[in-house]
Amino acid sequence: MVEIPFIQRVIAVAWPSFLTAGLATILFFVAFDPQDLAALLGKTKSSRMGVYTVGFFLFWLLTLTSCLLTCYFQRPCETKNA
Amino acid sequence: MSENKPTVKPSAAAVSESDPESSSFYAKHKKVYPREVHGIFRNLRTIGILVLLGLYYGVAWLQWDGHQAVLFDLPARKFYVFGLTFWPQDFFFFAWLLVIAALSLFYFTALAGRLWCGYACPQTVWTEAFLWIERKIEGTRGQQMKRDKSEMSATKFRIKALKHIVWIAFALFTGFTFVGYFTPIRELAGNILSFSLGPWETFWILFYSFATYGNAGWMREQVCIYMCPYARFQSAMFDKDTLIIAYDEKRGEPRGSRKRGIDPKEKGLGDCVDCTLCVQVCPTGIDIRNGLQYECIGCAACIDVCDDVMDKMGYEKGLIRYTTEHNLSGQKTKILRPRIIMYTLLLLALAGGLVYAVSQRVLLELDIIRDRSGLYRETDEGLIDNIYTLKIINMDQKPHQYELSVSGLEGMELIVKKPEITANSGEVVDLPVTVRLDPAVLERASNEIEFTLTAKDDPELTRTETGRFVGPRI
Ligand code: SF4
Ligand code: SF4
């Protein structure tokens, strides 16, 4: 198997997760207004931009994890016994 | 269908998987120095790029009816597109628009190949702008290559530093404009000038600037090859009647250099003089003479340069040209094929539907929220009170006065504390109301009732929402 260069691998993990995180952020915040969410948590002062941004990065963390795991499990299993 | 597919040569990535030898091709990326071209397609592209850049940097500053003409106001959760205002509730239209956009891309791809990539894609547009800056500062392709090979010197450092400073400044302005589509750009500019920019805006301006600088300055064609999802699947939409850029192999081969004025036929040569100029101008660094490749972004630079060569040699232009596979093999190109007709009809229907749906939008939103403190209240006279908060959003561009009514149960009395229900354009009004009823008419504990809100000046502007009226158990 050919080694995929490191930078290529970084793109393969970071880029799709970025796209899906962006999509998830849009869908999530269309449904929920950050200010309502903040009110639920009992916070009165919060900027919507701030909540959007934090929300986006939380989503990215999630999708990044799953992309990383895909990348990890894609490696061939070791076949020492063969 | 599969027989009608054009033959796409395996990409570098595909080759490298099966052939370890060539994996070095993208393991260690070789910088592509596209040579400058002149010609008709170059001019067309320049016009296209200038128009698009002008739109991008200009539209953000347009005003309309006292607000920014195009503004996806995220902090306020309102989207302005000229005379229309959209709300998160209108997300459906946005999704619809995306479907239309995707379908148009399919349509144009089937018809005209990668016209989008070569002329309109932001990646191309900004890469071209960055290349232009690079050429202005670093000089021609040859000068750039020589400088990059040379040892670091004061002059080299100065030139490189200048290039990056100009790039970064341009990228920052791009990032600023981008954020200016999501928070009002005039406010944003004011905040920057008074050094009072919010942390989140600052972050996103830097984020987008960095992305621009990285993608257009450094990554360039690699974005198209490795990151663009469209580039990966576009060939699926190609058929033998799709407009492509191709090298006329029959006419060009066997290639070979020659002196001017020599009859190529005598030497057994085709029209290609093997000057490799078409490779030197290619922004993705491929050789179009190897056939249709998925790295080709259809920029037509190789057409312009080869036409020049043909002119100088006194041959007919068009050794590399816009054509179709059918045309190349001597058959006729069919433009109106079933898939094109289907796409056209579908697009027309979707676009028409969207325009109709947007024009039929009711610019009023009503939400019924029951009071949380208790199910119901009994008055001294033995009547039942239910308390609600009505959330009214006036999505219209002008203020309205509304009339509220309730129906569903016999003899309900609607008590509104405010004498008038009014909402300014874009305003969200919380209206506490009480519905009072004699429990004798109740047959069940929980009953459905309907609230109807209608604008006084426009009976079409009306919304009806269902709420619940709760009484004692029977
Ligand atoms: S530019 Fe034209 S003549 Fe020169 S190598 Fe390319 S195809 Fe041949
Ligand atoms: S092969 Fe020609 S049209 Fe395709 S990217 Fe290269 S120069 Fe542009």
Side-chain angles (χ1 to χ4, degrees), chain B residues 247-248 252-253 255-256 258 271-281 287-289 301-310 313 315 319-320:
Chain B
Y247 163 75
D248 192 338
E253 300 295 317
R255 63 184 81 161
R258 68 209 64 175
D271 278 355
C272 172
V273 300
D274 206 10
C275 61
T276 71
L277 278 174
C278 51
V279 183
Q280 294 176 36
V281 297
D287 187 342
I288 187 75
R289 294 172 301 170
C302 50
I303 302 187
D304 277 339
V305 81
C306 188
D307 275 353
D308 249 10
V309 176
M310 293 297 109
M313 296 300 295
Y315 302 162
L319 178 56
I320 304 175

Side-chain angles (χ1 to χ4, degrees), chain B residues 84 89 141 163 295 350 359 368 431 445 461:
Chain B
L84 298 172
Q89 290 88 336
R141 174 178 198 257
K163 175 180 85 176
E295 288 92 337
L350 279 173
S359 71
I368 318 279
L431 182 74
L461 196 56

Side-chain angles (χ1 to χ4, degrees), chain A residues 17-23 25 29 50-61 63, chain B residues 203-204 207:
Chain A
S17 59
F18 176 85
L19 289 179
T20 42
L23 190 71
T25 312
F29 286 116
V51 179
Y52 292 141
T53 311
V54 172
F56 169 72
F57 279 99
L58 286 179
F59 274 122
W60 199 0
L61 198 68
T63 51
Chain B
F203 170 78
W204 285 112
F207 189 95

Side-chain angles (χ1 to χ4, degrees), chain A residues 2-5 7-8 11 15 18-19 23 26-36 47-54 56-57 60, chain B residues 16-20 23 26-28 73-77 88-89 91 94 179 182-183 200-201 203-204 207 219 226-229 232 391:
Chain A
V2 185
E3 262 307 291
I4 297 174
I7 180 73
Q8 179 86 41
I11 291 177
W15 179 234
F18 176 85
L19 289 179
L23 190 71
I26 294 175
L27 290 176
F28 183 82
F29 286 116
V30 160
F32 303 101
D33 181 344
Q35 250 158 34
D36 294 348
S47 92
R48 277 193 178 130
M49 278 307 250
V51 179
Y52 292 141
T53 311
V54 172
F56 169 72
F57 279 99
W60 199 0
Chain B
S16 67
E17 262 157 51
S18 55
D19 169 13
S23 71
Y26 76 112
K28 254 205 262 115
D73 197 341
L74 291 181
R77 293 173 74 76
Q89 290 88 336
F91 181 74
F94 177 65
V179 175
F182 298 94
T183 98
W200 305 113
E201 281 84 4
F203 170 78
W204 285 112
F207 189 95
M219 307 278 290
Y226 300 124
M227 288 166 71
C228 179
R232 298 263 166 137
K391 206 177 177 152

